[in-house]
Amino acid sequence: ARCAAGDGDDDGAGELGADDARGLYASQVFSLNGDRDERLRYLHAVMGAVECAIAARERYHSARTLPEQGAALQCAPVRVIDAVGARCARMSVASVRYDVVPTSATAFCMWEELGRGACGVCELVLVRRRVSGRAVAHVGVLKVLFDVGVDQGLPLAHTERDAWKRVYADTHGKCVEVKQAAGRAALIMPYFAPVPPDERHKYIDKVRDVLVTRFQPHRLAFADDDMRWRHVGLCQARGGGVEVVLLDLGLREIADDLDYNAYVDEHCERLRDTMGVQQRGAAPVMPTASAAAAAGAAAAVSAAAHSRTPPHP
């Protein structure tokens, strides 16, 4: 408004005249030497970015829902993060796709914080692509490591990525890659739906099966306090049904003399004891189709468009 009313020239001898006061932010703070129209264009761009940031902040402080498979987005405010920093933007796409993980992307639209732990924060991210002439958003999870620069964080990220590729070599390990985000090490990986609290009792045995069939052969185990419900996710299994995936693979090697069966029993009992507890740092429970419903409809391709349980990548 100050810039719009004047040309920014100094109207007084050594004092701020009316025009100069109106154009102060454009000519001095922003160090622009162009005419009033140029300054106006710059200020309108800044104002748009601020409005976008305010809208994004409001969304981060309110209840959010995940976009459904196949949903369209119109002018949604997002933060775009790449290797060096972040900026505000708006995203419009004809379709949201959970079945393609954007592992090759270098910039990500941050949609929602899913949860945070001791080492990092996980954000649901979207990457805009053009597929057959249509704008689509491929969905993934970006885990950004806390308080460590790239030099220190990249080895940690590579260790976790390698654990994914060992434990889930034939499936999800192919969809996990190391990235950089605003000067920090990060990982891009698939999104897995959280287990609804009222259905957790159905998955204790499946967690046991995953530990025995996927983790034990590699002599890998979770840290003593890391077997929590927020580290258990769901996705559609190949051939139908629901697959249980254990997340946050900051794992430790286990000693040769460890009784793995006793270890599995202990951690499954810990999950059983906390089935109705919202654990500290846990990701919010998003609206999701019941696992039973997803299991019954997973074989039908059309069911993916109506289910918030993402299909297998």
Side-chain angles (χ1 to χ4, degrees), residues 8-22:
D9 292 336
D10 188 355
D11 292 337
E15 297 181 358
L16 286 179
D19 277 356
D20 194 52
R22 296 181 186 113

Side-chain angles (χ1 to χ4, degrees), residues 97-273:
R97 298 279 302 276
Y98 283 86
D99 53 340
V100 180
V101 183
T103 53
S104 62
T106 57
F108 305 91
C109 297
M110 315 287 270
W111 181 260
E112 180 173 10
E113 181 179 314
L114 297 176
R116 57 180 62 211
C119 299
V121 57
C122 288
E123 296 256 6
L124 188 84
V125 295
L126 292 78
V127 174
R128 192 175 186 273
R129 298 281 193 241
R130 294 202 69 82
V131 178
S132 301
R134 300 172 70 240
V136 302
H138 293 163
V139 179
V141 173
L142 190 70
K143 178 179 179 178
V144 183
L145 301 186
F146 283 145
D147 300 329
V148 285
V150 172
D151 292 342
Q152 296 79 21
L154 281 179
L156 298 175
H158 279 285
T159 297
E160 184 166 346
R161 182 205 60 183
D162 292 345
W164 275 93
K165 292 187 179 300
R166 291 171 64 187
V167 174
Y168 300 106
D170 57 332
T171 54
H172 313 296
K174 303 173 183 178
C175 303
V176 178
E177 294 295 342
V178 175
K179 300 293 178 179
Q180 295 185 30
R184 294 180 178 178
L187 288 157
I188 183 69
M189 59 187 67
Y191 167 75
F192 301 99
V195 182
D198 60 350
E199 297 186 12
R200 288 173 175 174
H201 62 282
K202 302 177 183 179
Y203 295 100
I204 298 292
D205 289 340
K206 288 192 175 185
V207 169
R208 180 187 301 276
D209 291 342
V210 173
L211 285 171
V212 171
T213 60
R214 290 196 174 273
F215 286 75
Q216 185 175 7
H218 299 287
R219 307 297 297 169
L220 292 173
F222 281 81
D224 290 340
D225 59 347
D226 270 358
M227 180 54 74
R228 307 180 186 186
W229 281 109
R230 67 187 174 111
H231 295 155
V232 181
L234 305 176
C235 72
Q236 291 181 3
R238 289 174 175 170
V242 174
E243 178 186 357
V244 170
V245 182
L246 301 184
L247 317 173
D248 197 16
L249 303 189
L251 305 171
R252 61 182 176 90
E253 300 283 345
I254 59 177
D256 292 337
D257 59 352
L258 175 70
D259 184 342
Y260 204 86
N261 289 329
Y263 161 83
V264 171
D265 290 341
E266 175 187 349
H267 284 275
C268 287
E269 192 61 32
R270 180 175 299 172
L271 289 180
R272 195 182 305 277
D273 290 342

